[in-house]
Amino acid sequence: MAEREQLLSSSSTGGPLLEAERHGVGLSLSGGGFRASLFHLGALRRLNELDVLRQVDTISSVSGGSIMNAFLATALPLPLKGPVADWESTISKPFRAFCSRNIRRKPILEGLWPWKKNSDVLADEYDELLTHGKLIKDLFFPKPLFVFCSTDLAYGVNWVFTAARSGDYQAGYKLPTPADWKLSTAVAASSCFPPVFKPMSLHLDPATLVNGKDKTQKRDGIIKGLTLSDGGVYDNLGLEPIWKTHKTVLSSDGGALFGAEGDKSFFWEVNRFISIPENQALAVRRRWLIASFKSTSQNDGMDGSYWGIGSARESYGLPYGYSKKLAMDVIACIRTDLDSFSKAEAAILENHGYWLADAAIEKHVPSLRPNPYPPLQVPHPEWIGEQDVRDALKDSCKRTIWGRG
């Protein structure tokens, strides 16, 4: 744990390490609401079958990825000795049941009161339904190191929650994370996406944060008013804690794609002005990551793979999985929300993540694969037919004000 926390510290304060200095396997789980959570569920299912999950040293997550990450931290039989034997009953089935709930309605309603922080209500929902009172300090395992990412709105940097420390390189860190901080707080801070959820305040005492870069006279006042928002505001891939330090980086991306649209209204224009720079930053990060995997430079020194919700079987030259057209036209258009997801939506997303993780490991990181290679066992074979998928998902892109569940 100490070595991996040291690597995490290096990722915040320095440049990327050389190949000889990098260690371990890092996995990042992107944001994207329940859509991303269920997509990651399928990817993790295949990583478990391939015994790759046991090899992962750090799991870094954002928003919807943090929901999945928190469930893993709560439900996995840690430390892993090998593949989880009954993944369906231990992980998949209960997690799909959680994602069948509408957990945004209550926080949104309570957030209508100006004095109410609905991000705190969201944390209460997670505590009751997902993490069941688990504390961040309890996440001390030989591995993996669980990292939950949020965005520090005061300094505009990545704030992390881990068992050993919580904070960022500008404000400083709580060393260790306070004994009474709940895992649900980390998940809510990571997933309180604007403008639906208000930023979360941890009511920090500046004197309790150490090793921060800010030494100015304004520091204490800034930290007293410091708030946290969705981790995707800073880095929706969740790469920040792992890309500089780990030898192998695996990135699962269930986030929203940027679609072309005609001008609709003034409010559409305002949203477009905001979303275009965000999309460009994400696209640059994604292109850089993939280029780093392909590079042979000593200074890069990183291998790994990326799979995204818009990927498909054609991307890997493989015969199985959903087609590119189905992935782009239908699956990638599923709403990114914390609303209730149907059994069909959950099953299709789990299938998609499962197939893509297998293809990504097979093509780009074959050194991680076991011998003999476990055969594919698609989680939901009843949802392989593409016309059935199109029919089931025809309205999945639509959001409703109060939700579906």
Side-chain angles (χ1 to χ4, degrees):
M1 174 69 78
E3 180 182 354
R4 284 178 289 127
E5 283 287 351
Q6 188 174 7
L7 285 175
L8 181 60
S9 178
S10 299
S11 75
S12 299
T13 58
L17 299 179
L18 298 177
E19 181 176 7
E21 300 171 317
R22 290 175 173 269
H23 299 286
V25 179
L27 170 64
S28 68
L29 305 176
S30 79
F34 282 169
R35 185 185 80 179
S37 302
L38 292 161
F39 177 75
H40 300 323
L41 175 65
L44 287 160
R45 184 175 189 138
R46 187 53 178 165
L47 295 182
N48 175 67
E49 292 175 357
L50 296 174
D51 202 24
V52 171
L53 187 57
R54 181 181 58 84
Q55 303 175 56
V56 172
D57 294 274
T58 304
I59 305 178
S60 171
S61 60
V62 173
S63 198
S66 288
I67 297 171
M68 182 73 254
N69 203 12
F71 187 78
L72 287 179
T74 303
L76 277 179
L78 296 168
L80 293 177
K81 307 296 185 183
V84 177
D86 193 355
W87 182 271
E88 171 63 22
S89 62
T90 303
I91 305 295
S92 285
K93 186 175 180 180
F95 190 71
R96 291 195 303 268
F98 171 77
C99 293
S100 71
R101 300 171 181 267
N102 178 352
I103 66 164
R104 67 169 168 85
R105 181 187 295 132
K106 182 178 179 181
I108 289 175
L109 287 173
E110 298 212 18
L112 296 176
W113 302 104
W115 61 85
K116 197 81 171 181
K117 283 276 191 178
N118 63 354
S119 52
D120 294 332
V121 182
L122 180 64
D124 291 340
E125 290 280 272
Y126 287 137
D127 193 51
E128 178 184 354
L129 302 172
L130 182 73
T131 57
H132 310 295
K134 197 172 188 71
L135 301 172
I136 300 173
K137 74 175 182 65
D138 295 333
L139 304 185
F140 269 103
F141 306 106
K143 67 178 187 180
L145 170 67
F146 292 96
V147 185
F148 300 88
C149 299
S150 186
T151 300
D152 172 350
L153 293 180
Y155 291 100
V157 297
N158 192 61
W159 173 289
V160 299
F161 295 89
T162 74
R165 65 178 192 157
S166 293
D168 61 57
Y169 79 97
Q170 288 280 9
Y173 297 89
K174 291 269 194 178
L175 299 173
T177 292
D180 60 344
W181 280 17
K182 291 183 175 181
L183 178 55
S184 57
T185 298
V187 183
S190 184
S191 61
C192 56
F193 54 87
V196 177
F197 296 105
K198 299 173 184 176
M200 174 177 283
S201 175
L202 298 179
H203 309 289
L204 298 166
D205 177 356
T208 64
L209 272 69
V210 299
N211 301 333
K213 184 178 179 180
D214 185 2
K215 307 295 184 184
T216 67
Q217 293 182 344
K218 296 180 180 180
R219 173 191 180 270
D220 287 2
I222 291 173
I223 291 175
K224 287 178 181 177
L226 188 150
T227 55
L228 302 176
S229 187
D230 188 294
V233 174
Y234 181 81
D235 170 20
N236 199 52
L237 292 179
L239 287 170
E240 188 71 11
I242 62 174
W243 73 266
K244 296 179 185 178
T245 55
H246 288 65
K247 179 66 179 72
T248 301
V249 172
L250 306 176
S251 178
S252 182
D253 182 10
L257 303 182
F258 189 82
E261 295 180 357
D263 200 328
K264 297 179 180 179
S265 67
F266 169 75
F267 295 104
W268 177 91
E269 292 172 357
V270 171
N271 179 67
R272 212 66 171 174
F273 295 148
I274 297 170
S275 59
I276 288 175
E278 290 177 346
N279 175 70
Q280 179 63 11
L282 180 61
V284 168
R285 191 181 292 264
R286 188 187 300 117
R287 288 196 296 268
W288 162 84
L289 178 67
I290 295 171
S292 295
F293 293 152
K294 296 178 179 179
S295 173
T296 57
S297 167
Q298 172 77 10
N299 288 330
D300 290 321
M302 178 177 66
D303 63 15
S305 189
Y306 164 92
W307 58 89
I309 199 161
S311 303
R313 62 190 180 214
E314 293 94 331
S315 307
Y316 300 94
L318 297 172
Y320 56 82
Y322 297 128
S323 69
K324 184 70 172 178
K325 185 168 180 56
L326 183 71
M328 293 296 293
D329 292 352
V330 180
I331 299 176
C333 296
I334 297 174
R335 65 201 178 281
T336 55
D337 203 351
L338 299 181
D339 191 6
S340 172
F341 271 54
S342 69
K343 290 182 178 179
E345 290 170 332
I348 293 162
L349 285 165
E350 191 173 2
N351 280 355
H352 194 39
Y354 179 91
W355 273 320
L356 291 177
D358 178 82
I361 298 297
E362 170 75 12
K363 184 167 184 178
H364 298 297
V365 206
S367 60
L368 294 179
R369 57 172 287 176
N371 187 20
Y373 198 69
L376 284 166
Q377 302 179 62
V378 61
H380 306 281
E382 70 276 19
W383 290 108
I384 290 178
E386 297 210 352
Q387 188 57 52
D388 291 337
V389 171
R390 286 184 177 275
D391 293 341
L393 300 185
K394 62 182 180 181
D395 295 321
S396 292
C397 61
K398 299 176 181 177
R399 291 184 176 90
T400 60
I401 295 176
W402 303 120
R404 305 180 182 212

